[in-house]
Structures are given as C-alpha cells and as structure tokens.
Amino acid sequence: MKTLLDHNQLNITLQRLAHQLIENHLHFENTALIGIQPRGVLLSDRIATLVKKITKQKNIDYGKLDITFYRDDLHTNELHVPRKTDIEFSIEGRNVVLIDDVLHTGRTIRSAMDALIDFGRPKSVELLVLIDRRFSRELPVQPDYIGHTVDTIMTQKVKVYWQEQDKKDEVVLID
Amino acid sequence: MSLSVKHLLGIKELQPADIQTIFRTADNFKQVLQRPIKKVPTLRDTTIANIFFENSTRTRISFELAEKRLSADVVNFSASGSSVSKGETLIDTVNNILAMKVDMVVMRHSASGAPWFLSQHVDASIINAGDGVNEHPTQALLDSFSMKEELIKKGYKGDLKGKRVAIIGDIMHSRVALSNIFCLKKLGAEVMVSGPPTLIPKHIHDLGVKVEYNVKKALMWCDIANVLRIQLERQNKPLFSTLREYALFYGINKQMLDGLQKDIIIMHPGPINRGVEISSDVADSEQSIILDQVENGVAIRMAVIYLLSGKRDLEA
C-alpha cells in the first residue's frame, strides 16, 4: 500500500481544483456542479463548499447523480445499491461539471452522461476527477480537471478516504 | 445487493431483508417516475413475457408499464384467444414462449401453485402476479410500501413495527390477504382479519393474526384498514345472503369512520365494488390512499424485476 496524497496534499489539490473551476466558470451563473453517487459525492461536497467560499456565491447549483440504472454490467457483476439522485434545477442549456473521485475505465462516466442527458440537453459537459488512472481506459473519456495522475495496472486499487465518512483525508494505492 | 430468491413466487419465501431491499430500490424508481423522462435503459437487453390466464387490468398495466420504464421488451399473452383453448398444457405454452428467447415470465393463473410448478420446470425467473387463492406478492409489497410512505407523510417513522393493520372482507378467497399477512408479519406489524365468519378461513389464527367478526371493533383497533373486494367469481356456493346485507353489516362508510375519533388509513387493492365493501365517500376521502397504491405499484414492480434480473450466465 502506498500513499498517493496525504491529508495536506489532498487539501492543497482540492484548493487548486476549486480555483481552476472558478478560472473557467467565474461566477457560475450558467454552470452546475454534479457529483456522481456514491463516492464522487464526497468529493463534490468538498469542491462545492470550496467554490462557494472562494467566490462568496451562495447560490451555485449543485446536484447529485446516481447511475446505477445506467450501468452496463448488470448481468456480469453483483447488483449495486442505488442512491439518491438529487438534481433540483434544470440542466437545459447549462454548463455541467461532472465530478467523480477516481477515473479508471471510463465506464462510470459513460453511464453518467447517459443519465445526465435524461434530465435535459446541457450546453456542455466537463469532467473533474481527483485521481486519473491513465492507461487503464476502456472508453474514450478524458477529464478536464485532474487532481492527481497515477499509472496503475488493472489489479491495483485506488482508494480515496474522506474525513466525513472515513475519519481521515487520504488517497492510497493498494496492490 | 440481491434477493435471496431467483423467483418471486410468494412473500412466504422472502426474507425480511429482501423486502427492505425491494423497498429501497422502489424508492429510487419512484424518483425516476417523477422525472420528465420516466425511463431508464437498465433492461434494454431483457425480454419479459406477461402471461395472464386470468383477467386483470391494474396488475397487467402496472407490470407492463414497469417493464417499459425499464426499457425491457415486452410480450403479452392472455389465455383467451390463445392455443390454451386448443388444449395446450401450461409447460408447453411457457416453453414455447421461452424458446423465443424470453428472459423472465410474469404470470397470473387461476390455479394456486401454478407459478411454483412452472419454476420447477423452466429456467427463466418467474414473477407471480397472482395465483388462485394463494399469493399476490407484488400487491402485498406495494401495500406495505404505501403504508410506510403514508406513515412518513403523517410524521411517523416509516416503520410498520407494532403498527396495527386490519384486513377486512373476503379473506377466504383473497390472495391479497394471504400475501399481506405474510408481508406485514415479516415487517413486524400486528395483523387482524375481519369479516363474516363464512369468509374467514378456519385456522387463520395459526398465521399469528387476530380474528374479529365485528368490523366496527376491527376499525377501532387498527391504525390502517386494508379493505378487500368481495370475490363473487370465486364463490361456488352462497356465503352470505345478499350484497346489500353484506354492505349493511360489513361495508365501511363515512359515518363509521367519523365515529372512530381517530384518523385511520384506508386502503383497497381494487377493483372496488363501490357501495358493497366500501362506500364511495370513503373510497374518495382524504383518508384513502387507494390511488397512491396504484402509483406505487409501478415502482415496486420495477424494483422486483430489476432485482431478479441481476447476474446472468452469459454463456447460456
């Protein structure tokens, strides 16, 4: 097991990601943040809080998206527990930033885009991830905002721990 | 996350944890049904046959909608106008349908145990949509789900433990009653059955339910009353003298409810015989959640179909 980001590094990275978002979206008038259930939401909660704090904007649209019913591994893997989808605003014509903790094969993001489009036609969709496991993609998906890039092989696992749920902020690589 | 069973033949075979899993999943599907696009692509590779050997409006439409909302392909079959009238056996009929690459069968049959019999002979998952006087599992699931939901609306915890549910009417001929008893007991509720002695099976208290022949007393006892339809089509011999007499002694009207000094929840699985087991002013009252039951039916059936269509042997 190897630590990829410790508490301090993780929080510096989150700060940078929040600033990069603000650089591109400034006042977030036409932008919505959407975290992917379940683990992406822990990241997006942090990012949304940081963005609100830095921009001093209170009304940034922020939602959560569950992709269970859009997965492509229904008959090959165990069924996943569905979580709540919570998008209280229209995404029609908006710039949507999808947020997930780890980008691996790209299949989750494929499902997320399908799920998202059932809510309307966004003007654009961007992707923010904390960890990009490059070289393990099975679909042509590239993130727009990357916290940290790692080279991994299929058998390894990347685990992101969050204070809120796991009592620590840390990203580790498990062999 | 999966169910402990391959088929949904009855509530009897389910674990309490299965019921909770179905409810949790149904919550999510209910959310899907409130979106502008009420459809998910989950089962786009699945074909489901709805085989109905007995009449049905609600259940069939509800199953069909649930399947379509999950993007499954659907074939419908009803006994009238089919080869059944030419003398084909049940297994032959179903095997012929399965030969056309159908993955799941939803079946209603007038013979108790028919879905169980079928499950012994075919590979596809079977969902029982009502068999004779045995079980109607999805109805019981949507009933309990609706009870939970209404209790939460009223500010209670969504827990049926210790809640008092009276099932009133034709218990003898009702598969809804039996499935409801199993389901409610597994969720920890107290159950009472009430109706004329001729319509209550003799040894029903062995299932752990109370028996009360006076409907008024049953209403006073309960928090929730599930009123069942008088099933005239299943009665070979007269079990009460006239419908009017039944309505007079066992029918539920507004006056009775107003005399209770508490607000109980009124349910009915439909179709309603208005003015017989329940009067119109009760069926259409604020206390009645009859249409919520119908609405929840689709989400519950989506959950059951989804949970039964999990891991599949792709080689086969």
Side-chain angles (χ1 to χ4, degrees), chain B residues 103-120:
Chain B
D103 306 291
M104 199 182 274
V105 173
V106 174
M107 183 170 85
R108 168 168 287 192
H109 202 286
S110 56
S112 303
W116 176 84
F117 171 75
L118 201 60
S119 73
Q120 304 294 305

Side-chain angles (χ1 to χ4, degrees), chain A residues 66 68-72 74-86 110 115 117-119, chain B residues 1-2 24-25 28-29 31-32 35 37 39-46 306-307 309-312 314:
Chain A
D66 182 80
T68 310
F69 303 135
Y70 295 83
R71 300 182 69 96
D72 59 6
L74 177 64
H75 303 303
T76 46
N77 277 342
E78 286 297 313
L79 288 177
H80 288 247
V81 185
R83 306 294 171 106
K84 205 168 182 279
T85 289
D86 184 14
R110 198 281 309 161
I117 270 135
D118 277 0
F119 287 85
Chain B
M1 184 196 69
S2 293
R24 238 191 4 250
T25 312
N28 288 277
F29 281 122
Q31 231 188 353
V32 170
R35 294 182 196 164
I37 297 181
K39 197 172 169 131
V40 285
T42 322
L43 297 186
R44 56 187 181 267
D45 56 353
T46 303
Y306 169 73
L307 290 167
S309 64
K311 212 161 185 175
R312 189 189 291 169
L314 290 176

Side-chain angles (χ1 to χ4, degrees), chain B residues 136-306:
Chain B
H136 188 353
T138 53
Q139 179 70 42
L141 290 167
L142 74 89
D143 283 348
S144 289
F145 184 78
S146 305
M147 291 177 202
K148 279 181 74 138
E149 198 184 62
E150 185 64 17
L151 287 172
I152 291 172
K153 261 189 225 162
K154 287 188 153 193
Y156 294 98
K157 231 163 28 114
D159 193 351
L160 293 181
K161 203 164 281 167
K163 287 278 173 284
R164 294 172 160 189
V165 184
I167 304 173
I168 298 170
D170 187 350
I171 311 296
M172 176 102 83
H173 301 95
S174 173
R175 50 197 175 209
V176 177
L178 194 57
S179 283
N180 254 291
I181 291 170
F182 286 135
C183 193
L184 290 165
K185 297 294 290 181
K186 286 185 186 194
L187 294 171
E190 288 185 53
V191 185
M192 175 184 277
V193 294
S194 181
T198 47
L199 290 178
I200 293 186
K202 260 186 195 148
H203 300 290
I204 190 121
H205 52 261
D206 288 348
L207 294 174
V209 303
K210 295 186 173 64
V211 179
E212 172 62 65
Y213 298 116
N214 183 327
V215 168
K216 209 162 213 173
K217 282 189 185 155
L219 288 175
M220 268 158 66
W221 174 84
C222 72
D223 303 308
I224 300 161
N226 200 350
V227 188
L228 304 180
R229 182 174 65 95
I230 292 298
Q231 309 212 9
L232 288 174
E233 75 275 18
R234 285 188 217 283
Q235 300 182 6
N236 307 323
K237 52 179 188 230
L239 293 167
F240 50 85
S241 37
T242 62
L243 281 178
R244 241 183 93 190
E245 191 190 282
Y246 182 87
L248 204 60
F249 286 100
Y250 300 100
I252 293 173
N253 56 46
K254 195 84 179 98
Q255 216 181 347
M256 276 164 100
L257 289 188
D258 290 343
L260 292 179
Q261 291 158 342
K262 61 171 178 178
D263 261 3
I264 61 169
I265 300 170
I266 299 288
M267 308 176 65
H268 191 298
I272 306 176
N273 293 318
R274 278 178 188 262
V276 182
E277 67 263 5
I278 192 168
S279 67
S280 277
D281 50 3
V282 173
D284 305 329
S285 70
E286 289 281 304
Q287 283 164 266
S288 140
I289 57 165
I290 296 173
L291 291 177
D292 296 305
Q293 290 173 264
V294 180
E295 186 191 341
N296 287 333
V298 179
I300 281 286
R301 291 180 174 113
M302 285 173 85
V304 168
I305 294 166
Y306 169 73

Side-chain angles (χ1 to χ4, degrees), chain A residues 113-135:
Chain A
M113 285 195 284
D114 271 3
L116 191 66
I117 270 135
D118 277 0
F119 287 85
R121 182 180 188 272
K123 181 162 173 280
S124 69
V125 181
E126 289 181 319
L127 175 60
L128 181 151
V129 297
L130 180 62
I131 304 294
D132 176 15
R133 296 178 67 174
R134 63 174 173 184
F135 305 139

Side-chain angles (χ1 to χ4, degrees), chain B residues 17-32:
Chain B
D18 291 329
I19 300 176
Q20 299 298 352
T21 304
I22 293 170
F23 286 173
R24 238 191 4 250
T25 312
D27 271 333
N28 288 277
F29 281 122
K30 197 162 178 194
Q31 231 188 353
V32 170

